[in-house]
Amino acid sequence: MKILGIDSSGLVASVAVVEDDVLRAEYTTDYKKTHSQTLLPMLDELRSMIDLDLSSIDAIAIAAGPGSFTGLRIGAATAKGLGLALEKPLVEVPTLEGLAYNLWGTEKLVCPLMDARRNQVYTGIYEFVSEGQNDSLHVLKNQCAVDISEILTELNAMGREVIFLGDGVPVYRQKIEEQMKVPYFYAPAGNNRQRAASVAALGAVYYAQGKTVTAAEHQPEYLRKSQAEREAAEKEAAQNA
């Protein structure tokens, strides 16, 4: 099984190829350039470095959201274009599940935090449960957009050690340190941002379970309205008040 992974849901742009539980290649950047400038050149470089025949992949795993509205649209357009051209299915990997999968095997709770602005985060709560010889990702709280204090209160109530990761950590680190009552940790640099390798690896699991869509069917999961839509709604509400 050969899965191409794509993640442009946040500040990071990342592409990877996982084949039969082996990471063949991964290209990840977290710099000032936009995903429209980086994603396709990165994919072309990865293809060239490992002599990848794109027609040989079985599916394209895409970080499906939530995240940056622009980043999700660029990733979706790339995945849909490739899927249509290659006639390959897409595997929609929820962004927060892909992030949590970076910490596969930990006994602690995993809480990804993505900065959603306005004191909110995109987040969820996950754990890994042993099933036979393998660990599987279990969703304890589905990905959502909530106030940072709400998710911290929920974690305290669960009474277990937790690992935080994601670009929301540096933004809300002070609140984490002020409000957390249970032991907590921060994921190290190699695991604390989006990685297409994790999207591809989890995508392979979901592909084997038959969780695919056609390229034409895929739509990003935004979880909430864009800033422009929110501002328009607020303006309309003010006019009608």
Side-chain angles (χ1 to χ4, degrees):
M1 185 190 304
K2 188 182 295 183
I3 305 293
L4 170 66
I6 299 173
D7 194 327
S8 60
S9 60
L11 299 174
V12 171
S14 186
V15 293
V17 173
V18 168
E19 182 178 10
D20 297 330
D21 295 324
V22 175
L23 175 59
R24 295 298 182 192
E26 182 179 26
Y27 194 157
T28 300
T29 62
D30 183 356
Y31 198 58
K32 301 174 183 178
K33 294 182 179 179
T34 65
H35 296 328
S36 60
Q37 293 175 293
T38 58
L39 202 59
L40 286 176
M42 288 165 56
L43 178 58
D44 188 57
E45 182 72 15
L46 180 144
R47 180 194 58 77
S48 176
M49 288 294 292
I50 62 172
D51 296 323
L52 174 66
D53 178 0
L54 286 172
S55 66
S56 69
I57 65 174
D58 293 290
I60 302 162
I62 177 71
S68 157
F69 283 78
T70 301
L72 289 174
R73 285 193 289 266
I74 292 170
T78 302
K80 287 167 73 75
L82 287 171
L84 289 168
L86 300 170
E87 298 183 343
K88 302 294 182 179
L90 270 57
V91 183
E92 298 173 322
V93 176
T95 299
L96 279 303
E97 291 184 22
L99 258 172
Y101 213 65
N102 288 359
L103 302 179
W104 184 93
T106 182
E107 295 180 353
K108 300 175 177 61
L109 295 178
V110 179
C111 182
L113 300 173
M114 295 176 66
D115 183 19
R117 309 289 177 86
R118 298 191 173 192
N119 214 45
Q120 284 197 327
V121 289
Y122 296 123
T123 188
I125 303 175
Y126 306 89
E127 67 176 349
F128 293 92
V129 177
S130 295
E131 296 180 344
Q133 295 181 339
N134 299 308
D135 286 353
S136 63
L137 178 68
H138 279 207
V139 179
L140 299 179
K141 182 179 180 65
N142 254 318
Q143 58 183 22
C144 55
V146 297
D147 186 279
I148 180 63
S149 295
E150 181 177 330
I151 193 67
L152 298 181
T153 299
E154 192 162 345
L155 288 166
N156 283 330
M158 298 177 80
R160 291 174 56 184
E161 294 181 326
V162 58
I163 304 178
F164 292 104
L165 72 161
D167 60 39
V169 170
V171 178
Y172 297 106
R173 188 166 185 146
Q174 183 176 346
K175 290 199 173 186
I176 293 171
E177 294 173 356
E178 289 173 352
Q179 297 180 31
M180 286 301 292
K181 309 299 182 185
V182 297
Y184 63 90
F185 309 86
Y186 299 118
N191 302 88
N192 68 9
R193 294 292 189 274
Q194 286 92 332
R195 292 189 59 183
S198 292
V199 172
L202 186 54
V205 174
Y206 292 160
Y207 176 76
Q209 296 172 353
K211 297 178 180 178
T212 65
V213 298
T214 66
E217 291 172 327
H218 171 63
Q219 294 294 329
E221 183 178 0
Y222 296 114
L223 284 188
R224 68 178 194 179
K225 295 179 179 179
S226 69
Q227 181 177 346
E229 290 172 321
R230 292 196 304 270
E231 290 176 351
E234 290 169 1
K235 184 178 180 180
E236 182 179 351
Q239 290 174 342
N240 294 333

